[in-house]
Amino acid sequence: MFQRLHQPLCYIVIGVSCLFSALSDASTQYLSADAYIDVENGVRVENPLVTIEAGQITKVSTDSQPPPNANVIKLSGYTLLPGLMDMHVHLTGNADDHGYKSLAISLPRATINGVNNARKTVMAGFTTVRNVGADGYADVALKDAIDAGDIVGPRLFVAGHSIGVTGGHCDNNLLPSDYAATGGGVADGPWAVRAKVRENIKYGANVTKICATGGVLSKGTKVGVQQLTLAEMQAIVEESHMRGLTVAAHAHGTEGIYNAIKAGVDSVEHVSFLNDESIELAKQNGTVFSMDIYVTEYILGEGEKAGILEESLAKERTVGKRQRENFRKAVEAGVKMVFGTDAGVYPHGDNAMQFARMVQFGMTPMQAIQAATINAAALLNQSETLGSISAGKHADIIAVKGDPLSDISLLESVGFVMQSGKILKHSDSPDQ
Ligand code: ARG
């Protein structure tokens, strides 16, 4: 321990306070880079020096020098950003196991896939993700293992079972009735769906995911048609909010989107067949949109090989196009947006591919970065501790070579990842 005490005075005055200050100095880290993205003010700031103590950012200054002999990580040529946050992933799902292929994946195998995918996700710069639906509470197990430091992965917000109606998008409709295959979150009626929220909470969920409409990848569902009734969604929202959980609603169809917003959900996912009324209501209520506009390229390009059913491919051919048009409309109208990809439908670790599409369809690079940082933190009610590089927040910091504001695709190659002050990836470091 004594070699960690840099201050010579400590050898002479082994007073308690001196010992403490010496120890904290030894554990203080400094991070310097060409610039950092200040997502709170929407600007790129040059020559930052970030001070990190006990996993937290304690100071962000510019043009200042670290103390002599300090532990400084110099990232020259790099821009620092807050750790990225993806609000719509399925860590236990793999991109090549769609349709009937998914039936061959056991729950333990899916959980093991999740361990692998959690690592890929954090190494791609996503230090926090919201997992919106998993069988058998595998997402809760992943969260617990990550929190305990047993495996490496993003900070997780987890939904447990996605809640939806019999035969709906959140059910398993692949097999005939002989097999009695039913999704864990399937329920019908306001009290029954409310009970599902309680069950999810009992087993460790800290967000709620519902299926308001049909979907693309579910067999036999009409993508544009509402499934949960308004009364069912209101019951879910009331119960979730009372227990301190936010609600994410899968909704493609026009009425389903509108009624989910009306019921008071916190975010609407996909939002494909959006109309002006829903844009207005979302703005009034502060409802956030999470629009996965990259995944269509994977589904239409690789989906058939991956087992996606022809009926799903047919649905995707209209959904993807409409969703991108409506993404532009929502951005122009000023709806609050977060970054959500549906990774798991396409390969984990490729989450950042969506940034370039968000810019192509109407966002500035800064808006796209804010969607994946400060806006996501606000949606999760974590603005105090996540979402920006500023004093008092967790030291979840990533870095890319160059300036992501002039080339947003740089976020596809993250060279440095720090989570809670711990370096998980440092491409320029000789021992990585
Ligand atoms: N999980 C979603 C569903 O099955 C994926 C939708 C993907 N398509 C899209 N254009 N975002 O409905």
Side-chain angles (χ1 to χ4, degrees):
M1 180 200 266
F2 267 88
Q3 60 272 39
R4 294 178 63 196
L5 305 180
H6 296 304
Q7 293 168 327
L9 248 188
C10 288
Y11 295 107
I12 305 158
V13 191
I14 311 268
V16 175
S17 69
C18 181
L19 187 64
F20 269 118
S21 90
L23 282 173
S24 83
D25 276 352
S27 65
T28 304
Q29 290 172 286
Y30 295 86
L31 205 52
S32 74
D34 283 17
Y36 86 102
I37 304 295
D38 173 353
V39 291
E40 278 158 358
N41 296 303
V43 287
R44 179 177 183 270
V45 180
E46 293 194 348
N47 294 319
L49 181 70
V50 183
T51 310
I52 297 149
E53 288 168 277
Q56 286 205 324
I57 300 168
T58 52
K59 194 173 169 195
V60 183
S61 57
T62 48
D63 295 315
S64 59
Q65 294 302 317
N69 301 323
N71 170 10
V72 190
I73 305 145
K74 291 199 183 90
L75 295 169
S76 55
Y78 282 86
T79 302
L80 306 179
L81 298 105
L84 301 171
M85 304 169 77
D86 189 334
M87 294 298 96
H88 193 124
V89 304
H90 299 279
L91 288 174
T92 50
N94 272 359
D96 38 17
D97 297 329
H98 282 287
Y100 283 92
K101 283 172 118 185
S102 70
L103 295 177
I105 311 296
S106 67
L107 184 54
R109 186 71 174 99
T111 312
I112 291 167
N113 289 340
V115 173
N116 202 18
N117 294 331
R119 166 176 282 276
K120 286 184 186 166
T121 304
V122 76
M123 290 305 179
F126 288 81
T127 51
T128 300
V129 302
R130 187 174 64 166
N131 202 79
V132 281
D135 288 337
Y137 299 102
D139 51 355
V140 175
L142 286 173
K143 179 186 186 325
D144 290 346
I146 292 167
D147 290 348
D150 294 339
I151 61 169
V152 171
R155 281 174 206 286
L156 288 189
F157 288 81
V158 293
H161 294 150
S162 301
I163 301 170
V165 305
T166 298
H169 180 70
C170 288
D171 201 353
N172 182 345
N173 309 321
L174 289 166
L175 295 168
S177 70
D178 328 22
Y179 291 89
T182 307
V186 170
D188 301 286
W191 275 105
V193 291
R194 204 184 261 269
K196 284 291 172 188
V197 175
R198 294 174 180 176
E199 196 177 305
N200 274 334
I201 295 172
K202 172 176 175 176
Y203 294 113
N206 57 2
V207 298
T208 297
K209 161 76 181 299
I210 64 172
C211 289
T213 73
V216 172
L217 300 175
S218 48
K219 184 167 177 275
T221 70
K222 295 194 175 80
V223 70
V225 170
Q226 187 174 331
Q227 294 183 338
L228 283 164
T229 64
L230 178 60
E232 284 170 327
M233 289 196 269
Q234 282 166 333
I236 291 168
V237 169
E238 190 186 273
E239 186 71 27
S240 299
H241 286 174
M242 183 174 81
R243 303 288 298 271
L245 279 72
T246 55
V247 181
H250 157 109
H252 289 284
T254 313
E255 281 77 35
I257 295 169
Y258 186 79
N259 283 317
I261 300 171
K262 192 167 165 190
V265 303
D266 300 273
S267 70
V268 185
E269 314 295 305
H270 312 301
V271 211
S272 307
F273 303 109
L274 173 66
N275 66 5
D276 292 343
E277 244 183 312
S278 287
I279 289 183
E280 275 321 301
L281 194 62
K283 283 178 69 177
Q284 249 174 52
N285 290 5
T287 315
V288 175
F289 288 175
S290 161
M291 300 178 72
D292 52 341
I293 59 169
Y294 170 71
V295 69
T296 185
E297 293 173 38
Y298 181 86
I299 294 176
L300 296 179
E302 310 292 323
E304 198 183 337
K305 264 193 304 218
I308 294 182
L309 306 174
E310 177 45 44
E311 63 168 83
S312 294
L313 297 173
K315 289 190 253 188
E316 185 57 47
R317 286 180 202 113
T318 38
V319 168
K321 215 174 145 283
R322 289 295 301 282
Q323 189 190 30
R324 285 174 165 201
E325 290 161 9
N326 285 325
F327 178 84
R328 191 185 285 286
K329 269 181 98 172
V331 172
E332 276 166 12
V335 179
K336 280 192 211 161
M337 308 280 267
V338 292
F339 184 94
T341 62
D342 221 351
V345 172
Y346 77 100
H348 293 279
D350 285 355
N351 311 57
M353 301 288 284
Q354 186 170 282
F355 282 107
R357 281 34 173 210
M358 290 166 87
V359 170
Q360 185 186 345
F361 290 94
M363 279 188 172
T364 62
M366 183 59 82
Q367 283 176 315
I369 292 168
Q370 285 168 329
T373 53
I374 193 165
N375 296 5
L379 173 61
L380 296 172
N381 291 327
Q382 302 296 316
S383 300
E384 297 283 299
T385 52
L386 296 174
S388 66
I389 301 181
S390 44
K393 301 222 174 171
H394 290 304
D396 289 1
I397 300 173
I398 64 158
V400 294
K401 245 195 174 132
D403 177 7
L405 297 183
S406 40
D407 179 2
I408 194 73
S409 71
L410 292 177
L411 293 176
E412 293 164 23
S413 336
V414 168
F416 176 87
V417 179
M418 172 184 271
Q419 189 188 42
S420 286
K422 202 169 150 206
I423 298 171
L424 300 182
K425 181 180 189 180
H426 189 351
S427 311
D428 286 352
S429 159
D431 53 6
Q432 296 261 331

